[in-house]
Amino acid sequence: MSRLIDAHQHVWDPATADYPWLTDELAAIRRRFGPEDLAPSLAAAGVDGTVVVQSRSSLDNTRELLVTAGATPFIAGVVGWVDLTDPAIAETIAELRAGPGGDRLVGIRHQVHDEPDPEWLLRADVRRGLRAVGRAGLAYDLLVRTRELPAAVTVARDLPGVRFVLDHLGQPAIGRGEREPWASLLAGFASLEHVAAKLSGLVTEADWKSWTVAGLQPYVNDALAVFGPARLIFGSDWPVCLLAAPYDVVLATARSLTTGLSEAERSALFGATAETIYRLG
C-alpha cells in the first residue's frame, strides 16, 4: 500500500494578508488556519502527507507556503503561484527553489476562473509561462469551472510536455444537480494521459447542508469514466471543506464514492498518483 496523501489543502491568515474570495458567505472559515489545526485530523485519519495549495495570487504567499512546508514534516509539496505572463518566470521559479523550503515546490496554480476572459489559458503569454512550468519539472493545477473547461482542454492538448491536474473535477454544478455541459466538456481530457484530476472540493460544490454521497456519485462516476482511477487524486480541500463537512467525513466520503475500485486502484487514487504527478519525495 502506498502512502495516504491528501493532495489538496490550504493554510491562510486573513489578519496578515488580503483574501478577496473570503467573502461574508464564507465567514465561518475567514480566520487563521495553520498546519497545527490540521495535524490532529491527519493523525486520526492516518494521512502520511499533504500538498498545500496557494490561496492568493502573490509570490509572497508562495514564499510563505514554502517556509511553512519546510517547517512542517507532513507537508510533502507546495503548489504555489507565479505570474505565468511574466517573461522572467523561469528565473522566478529558480529563485523560489533556491530559497527556504524551495525543495517542496511541486506545482503552480492560478485562479483562472476569476479571469474575465474564459480563454485566458489560450493567450500566447500564458502558454509561454505554462511551457516554462513544464520545463522546470513542475505540475500545473487547473482551477477552472465549466466556462473555462474548453480552453483548459485545448491548452492541455497543445502542451503534452506539461503535467496538468484539474482541481475539484472542474467544479461541476452539483448544488444545482447539473451534469451538462460539464460532463461532455470533461470528456475532452479522456485521451490526454498527462492530465489528472482531483477528487476534491465536491462537498462544497454541493449544498453544504443537505449533500449526500448518493448525490455526489454520478459526478465521480463521470470522472472515473474520463480519467480512470489511475488519473484521479484524493484531496480534502481543507479548510474550505469545513463549510460542508469535517475532515474525517470528507475522507470517508471519498472512500465511499470509490468502493467499487480494486485495492490497487484505490492505492493509486489515495496516494500513488499524487506522488507520481507531483514527484513527491
Side-chain angles (χ1 to χ4, degrees):
M1 177 68 73
S2 65
R3 294 191 299 166
L4 175 55
I5 302 294
D6 177 349
H8 200 102
Q9 57 105 169
H10 303 281
V11 294
W12 61 63
D13 187 355
T16 63
D18 185 28
Y19 295 82
W21 60 274
L22 280 174
T23 61
D24 289 345
E25 183 184 14
L26 307 180
I29 57 171
R30 198 168 55 195
R31 63 172 180 83
R32 183 185 187 280
F33 286 93
E36 70 280 4
D37 297 305
L38 180 58
S41 295
L42 298 180
V47 175
D48 298 297
T50 72
V51 175
V52 66
V53 179
Q54 62 86 222
S55 49
R56 58 190 178 95
S57 299
S58 162
L59 276 175
D60 285 342
N61 181 229
T62 304
R63 295 186 181 102
E64 291 162 4
L65 292 179
L66 290 171
V67 169
T68 297
T72 308
F74 68 71
I75 298 179
V78 171
V79 173
W81 181 91
V82 297
D83 183 357
L84 290 177
T85 69
D86 182 359
I89 183 175
E91 291 80 2
T92 299
I93 291 173
E95 176 262 321
L96 290 169
R97 282 180 152 166
D103 61 325
R104 304 289 177 93
L105 186 65
V106 299
I108 299 298
R109 187 177 85 152
H110 177 72
Q111 287 96 324
V112 174
H113 60 37
D114 290 339
E115 292 292 338
D117 182 3
E119 296 189 339
W120 184 84
L121 284 164
L122 303 183
R123 285 172 36 171
D125 53 355
V126 173
R127 288 175 185 251
R128 182 188 62 224
L130 289 170
R131 291 189 183 96
V133 169
R135 286 194 297 270
L138 302 176
Y140 183 78
D141 272 35
L142 289 161
L143 182 58
V144 299
R145 298 190 177 103
T146 300
R147 184 192 72 142
E148 299 86 25
L149 273 175
V153 171
T154 297
V155 78
R157 183 181 299 118
D158 291 348
L159 300 178
V162 181
R163 303 187 315 282
F164 288 94
V165 183
L166 179 66
D167 287 355
H168 315 322
L169 300 185
Q171 302 181 89
I174 301 173
R176 298 195 300 271
E178 297 175 2
R179 288 169 62 193
E180 293 296 346
W182 167 82
S184 294
L185 294 171
L186 194 74
F189 291 113
S191 64
L192 306 181
E193 296 292 330
H194 60 296
V195 183
K198 285 183 185 175
L199 192 65
S200 62
L202 301 185
V203 294
T204 46
E205 293 301 328
D207 183 281
W208 299 348
K209 296 185 182 300
S210 63
W211 68 270
T212 64
V213 173
L216 303 180
Q217 192 70 63
Y219 300 90
V220 174
N221 291 346
D222 288 339
L224 283 166
V226 171
F227 295 98
R231 288 165 55 199
L232 285 180
I233 301 171
F234 166 71
S236 68
D237 198 24
W238 181 94
V240 180
C241 69
L242 300 178
L243 294 165
Y247 191 92
D248 60 332
V249 172
V250 171
L251 178 56
T253 297
R255 285 173 166 154
S256 295
L257 290 165
T258 56
T259 53
L261 303 183
S262 69
E263 182 177 348
E265 290 169 336
R266 286 162 66 87
S267 180
L269 193 154
F270 286 97
T273 300
E275 291 190 303
T276 298
I277 202 160
Y278 285 126
R279 298 179 178 175
L280 303 179

